[in-house]
């Protein structure tokens, strides 16, 4: 069990994120078929595969600070991920990297601070708010749970597990919501009753972090 997030954990996190997305590609496509363009699963799988390949080939985390690695990933996500998700996931990692800075390891509190900054950058890029039926509805409670666990003195494993549980709850809470952003918003009340695909993939991101922390 890792006690802090290092570059090794981050690279494993992205690899595990891609593994989960690849296995759940059909599920993401099904969700996006209901309220979007039916391309979220394909775009996420293909884009993350490219990002992970680049990280592996370039040995991106060897001498970089944690902040530099997160920003490297953010830039790769921007160019590799198609659809609306690319700029949003990119913003999350770029914002997190800016706050992580020159550190080489992040304890639970520092991780929460970094991800909160990343979420703020995501909001700036996408103008999402709680209840809009977007990935924000999974990530915001996840980061809040991570922050609370860190403040309570939890270790990294417990803190990330709390974040994942909050993300799952946030994802499921998008089903009864009326979409107010993106293509889904064009459907009006027909968007009600469907889990948001962005919230679903964002939850996979948090679950992958839990797995990476546990495996280290």
């Amino acid at each position: 069990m890792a006690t802090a997030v290092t570059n090794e954990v981050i690279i494993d996190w992205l690899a595990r994120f891609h593994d989960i997305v690849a296995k759940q590609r059909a599920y993401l496509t099904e969700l996006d078929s209901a309220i979007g363009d039916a391309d979220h699963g394909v775009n996420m799988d293909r884009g993350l595969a490219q990002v992970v390949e680049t990280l592996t080939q370039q040995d991106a985390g060897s001498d970089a600070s944690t902040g530099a690695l997160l920003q490297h990933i953010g830039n790769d996500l921007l160019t590799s991920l198609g659809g609306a998700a690319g700029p949003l996931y990119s913003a999350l990692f770029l914002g997190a990297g800016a706050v992580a800075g020159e550190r080489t390891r992040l304890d639970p509190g520092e991780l929460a601070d970094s991800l909160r900054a990343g979420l703020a950058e995501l909001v700036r890029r996408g103008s999402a708010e709680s209840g809009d039926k977007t990935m924000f509805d999974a990530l915001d409670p996840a980061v809040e749970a991570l922050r609370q666990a860190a403040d309570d003195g939890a270790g990294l494993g417990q803190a990330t597990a709390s974040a994942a549980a909050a993300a799952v709850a946030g994802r499921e809470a998008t089903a009864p919501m009326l979409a107010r952003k993106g293509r889904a918003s064009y459907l009006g009340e027909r968007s009600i009753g469907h889990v948001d695909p962005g919230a679903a993939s964002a939850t996979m991101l948090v679950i992958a972090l839990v797995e990476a922390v546990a495996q280290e």
Side-chain angles (χ1 to χ4, degrees):
M1 177 77 69
T3 58
V5 171
T6 62
N7 285 0
E8 290 75 15
V9 172
I10 291 170
I11 292 172
D12 189 36
W13 176 21
L14 266 292
R16 289 174 183 276
F17 183 30
H18 174 240
D19 286 345
I20 295 172
V21 166
K23 291 174 183 175
Q24 297 294 323
R25 173 172 163 168
Y27 167 64
L28 292 174
T29 298
E30 178 183 355
L31 293 180
D32 203 31
S33 296
I35 59 174
D37 293 329
D39 61 355
H40 190 57
V42 173
N43 287 341
M44 292 294 297
D45 184 14
R46 182 185 299 133
L48 287 171
Q50 294 176 7
V51 171
V52 171
E53 182 179 7
T54 299
L55 287 174
T56 304
Q57 289 180 346
Q58 296 181 353
D59 196 16
S62 58
D63 298 317
S65 68
T66 299
L69 177 59
L70 289 169
Q71 292 196 310
H72 176 91
I73 292 168
N75 286 322
D76 280 354
L77 286 167
L78 184 61
T79 58
S80 298
L81 274 186
L88 298 179
Y89 275 107
S90 171
L92 178 67
F93 279 85
L94 288 172
V99 167
E102 295 303 313
R103 295 182 181 90
T104 56
R105 51 192 285 122
L106 303 176
D107 64 25
E110 292 165 340
L111 177 63
D113 290 343
S114 296
L115 291 178
R116 175 55 67 189
L119 196 54
E121 184 63 19
L122 184 154
V123 169
R124 189 189 69 79
R125 188 78 60 91
S127 302
E129 297 178 0
S130 179
D132 280 347
K133 197 182 182 92
T134 68
M135 62 195 298
F136 181 84
D137 291 300
L139 289 175
D140 183 53
V143 174
E144 183 59 32
L146 180 65
R147 175 77 266 170
Q148 186 61 57
D151 289 346
D152 291 342
L156 186 61
Q158 182 181 346
T160 54
S162 296
V168 169
R171 175 195 69 197
E172 295 306 302
T174 64
M177 291 178 182
L178 176 72
R180 298 198 295 250
K181 295 290 181 183
R183 187 174 182 84
S185 65
Y186 302 156
L187 299 176
E189 293 189 357
R190 286 182 293 157
S191 66
I192 296 173
H194 302 282
V195 168
D196 178 68
S201 67
T203 300
M204 295 174 190
L205 175 69
V206 184
I207 291 172
L209 176 60
V210 176
E211 293 182 358
V213 167
Q215 191 63 29
E216 182 66 20

